[in-house]
Each structure stands twice: as C-alpha cells, then as structure tokens.
Amino acid sequence: MIVVSVLCVIVMVLLVKLWATKIRKPKTAKPIPGPEPWPLIGSLHLLGKYETPFEGFTALSKIYGDIFSITMGSTPCVVVNNFDLIKEVLITKGGDFGGRPDFMRFHKLFGGDRNNSLALCDWSVLQKTRRSIARTYCSPRFTSLQYATVNTVGANELDAFMTEMQKLPLNTPVDIKPVVLAACANMFLQYMCSTSFPYDDQQFKKVVRDFDEIFWEINQGYAVDFLPWLLPMYSKHMSKLSQWAADIREFILARIVQDHVNTLDYHAPPRDFTDALLIHLRDDPNMEWNHIIFELEDFIGGHSAIGNLVMMILASVVKYPEVAKKIQEEVDEVTRGQRYVNLFDKAAMPYTEAVLWETLRKGSSPIVPHVASTDTEIEGYPIKRGTMIFLNNYELNLSPQYWDEPEKFKPERFLSPAGNVVKPAHFIPFSTGKRTCIGQRLVQCFSFIIVSTLLQNYNITPGSEIKIKPGCVAVPPDCFKVILIPRNLKSN
C-alpha cells in the first residue's frame, strides 16, 4: 500500500512538472518557418531561377512570412524581410550578430584571413579600434577641417580628370569607366596617402583594374560559398583572387607605404590616414603590421564603390534624359559656367543628391550577411550561434509597402515639398548600427562632384546596351559604353 501511494505521488509530481513546463514554454520556441532542405544543397535550388538571391528571398517571404529559415548547402540561415526585424538584428541586438560569413573567397582576398578586412571580419575589440582610427578620416563632418580637405582633394583631381576625359573621342561609343575609376582612386590616394598617379601609369592602371575586379567579385555569390566540397573545381578562380590581392598589396607597399615609413615624423601630427595608421602601429601593442596594411588597402579600395556608383548613376541618366537635364540646370545655376562643382555646392543642388539616393534605392545594395556570434533570438524565435542572417534590403528598397510606385525611377521621392533632401528611416543603403559603412560620406562626396562635372561638360547618351543587375551596386569591369557630346561650356 505504501509503495502504491509513493508511486502515485511520484506520478502526480511528474504530471505537474510536465504541465508547468508546457505552460512556461513560449509559443515562439517552435522552429522558424521555411522550406524543407534537400540533401547536400539545402534550398539553393529555390534561388537558382532568380537573377539575384534577394529576389528569391522576397518571393519566399510571401510564403513563409517576414522571418524564415533557409538552409544554404549545409549552412543554417535566417532571412529577415522587414525594417523592424532588420533593426533588431543590426541595432537592438547588434552585439549578438557581429560575425561575418566564413567564405573561402573572403580569405583569399585578404592574405588568407578575412579578419584582416574591416568589412568582412568578425566583430572584436581590435576591429573596434581599427574603425575608431579610420572614423576621423573616413566620416568627416560637414563643418570640419577634414571635410574642407576632402573638398580640396576632389577639386584638384577634377582638373586632371577632365584633362583625361578630353582625350576621349566625342560623338562615338567610348568606355569611360577606366577614367572614372582612376579619378576616384587618385582622390582616395591623395586624401589618405598624400599621393596620386598619372592616368597612364601602367602599374596604377592595373591596380585600379584589380580593385574593380575584386569589387565585382565581392558583389557576386557562388555555389562554393555554401558547398565547400566544390572547392577543387574553383581552384583557378581562387588563385586569381589571391593574385589580384597580392598585386595590389605589392603596389601599396612599394609605391605608397614605404615613402611614408621613410619620411614619417612621429613627433608631428599625422599628415594623413597612412601616417595615423603607422603611428598607431608603434603605440598600440595589439596592432600588427598586417592590421594597418589591410586597413589601408580596404579604404583605398573604397574608390571602386564610388566608380561603380557613378556608372550606375550614368546608366540612369542616359535612360532618363529629363533627369540629366535637371542635374545640368542645378550645375549651371551654381557654377554659372565659370568653375567646377565643389562639395559646398551640395546644399544648392538637392535634386542631384536625390538622384544619387534614388540610384542606390533602385540598385538595392545588398547588406553583407551577419552571423550570430552567440545563441540569441529574433522576434522571440531562437537563433543558434553560427546561423547566417540575410537582411533583405531588396525588399526594403523595392516594396510597395515602403514606396509609392517603387518600380519607377523618381528622384523627387527624396525631396520634401520645400525642396530639401529627405531620407526615410527604412532607407539604409549603407546598412545601420555599429557595422554601418564607415566610408559612406566619402562615397557621397566624390560621386557627387564627378557626376556633376561630367554632366556639366557633356550630354551623355547610350553607346551600347545598358543592363544593371538587380540587387547589386557593381557593374562588370567591362561594362556599357556611352557617347559624349560636348555642351560647349567653359568650366574653369
């Protein structure tokens, strides 16, 4: 009898515990909805029919909701498709999602370790230090001396840029991307390294091309990223990436850094960003030679983003001549045909700036995926450490939920009734949170003056078929041609 009573008590206790567990168990502990993966490839087959994976993510969100799971190869991933969820990942819980994808391509581009890169590294105290060194130079405030320096550098390079442009044939299809990229590179080099190179310098031309190849490469996706067992089939591709990176590094060390090392006065204020990095190398025991070299390379490489953005803006300008005309009207109004545009003209040229933002919206720049660095959650759904998070900026930029007539190219959407530039909170082309693009202000500044100056001096029409890949802010290294028709205006 005693044994039966004890057993009854034990059973009752177990039932109570089971009931209590069910009561306490949160409803959101159920798995995140998503497609059932196939063996080996996961759900990669679902994305293959789209021109960009982000189009596929948007389509899948109509089935599974604003947050869904998807397995890419053997990698568990989660896709978030609305602004509130993206803010949770990037801002509210940014510390939980500080990792980056561990793609072999990224390692090849940065000396065998992607953590040498600021954009592609996992978050750490070292990376926070490296960003703080760069912030003064790469995020200059409008009222700062650094901003005035950026303006001077841009203005000085415009003379060389237009001299080079005037060598190109008129009224016939011509490839202007190499000249645009060279100008962007020299602006960055002058600003960050106090040096520049002739446009016909063969080593310089090769390095600018290599940077552009890498920028296009980073904006692409490959099966090997999620199916590493395919690596033997990509051996030539990986070797090519390593060679591009090695050639760039050799150029920067031999023709830029060595001169700074030889002439640096540690007792004087730094002359530029390169000096600042070398001084930190001496003063910070946690900084190593590779850390500063790759950081410098990272930021010099930022010129490729500007050159590609300029080409995307020109693609819109030639497609919509009325847009070009409005930019030209602003340029003519502020310069009176007597000088080139400078950065302090931006306030008087809101439409031109709006064209830049509309180009970025339509291009729908993908945000580099994040990786959960700890067990955490999104909207109550459990997220395991190591899960890759895709932030569907394509949906933010092109959904009718966020924009009126999103399929149309309408720079006016970024202008207030009073004619001032306004950007809605959900528009985050450079990401947001602690891993926002630190060089975005330089991108805005230099692209503004290059586009303005080109349209100040030329009417530009298509010289070949122009096709821009959706969900991508890069155009191929060998891209479309344009026809330059001089406006017969004196600009200086």
Side-chain angles (χ1 to χ4, degrees), residues 189-218:
L189 288 167
Q190 184 61 45
Y191 178 60
M192 296 184 175
C193 313
S194 303
T195 191
S196 61
F197 296 92
Y199 285 55
D200 60 357
D201 183 303
Q202 293 304 309
Q203 280 188 313
F204 174 62
K205 289 171 67 173
K206 182 182 183 306
V207 164
V208 170
R209 171 74 183 209
D210 288 347
F211 268 125
D212 193 33
E213 295 275 11
I214 289 173
F215 187 73
W216 173 255
E217 169 73 25
I218 286 178

Side-chain angles (χ1 to χ4, degrees), residues 114-141:
R114 64 178 174 80
N115 282 299
N116 285 323
S117 163
L118 277 180
L120 305 177
C121 68
D122 296 326
W123 187 258
S124 67
V125 173
L126 172 63
Q127 309 311 345
K128 185 177 179 180
T129 300
R130 294 169 77 196
R131 284 177 69 91
S132 69
I133 299 170
R135 189 166 288 110
T136 299
Y137 294 90
C138 299
S139 302
R141 297 181 182 277

Side-chain angles (χ1 to χ4, degrees), residues 343-363:
L343 294 182
F344 296 103
D345 294 321
K346 277 183 71 178
M349 298 177 63
Y351 184 83
T352 303
E353 186 177 352
V355 170
L356 182 153
W357 295 123
E358 180 69 344
T359 300
L360 285 170
R361 184 192 71 83
K362 286 283 286 182

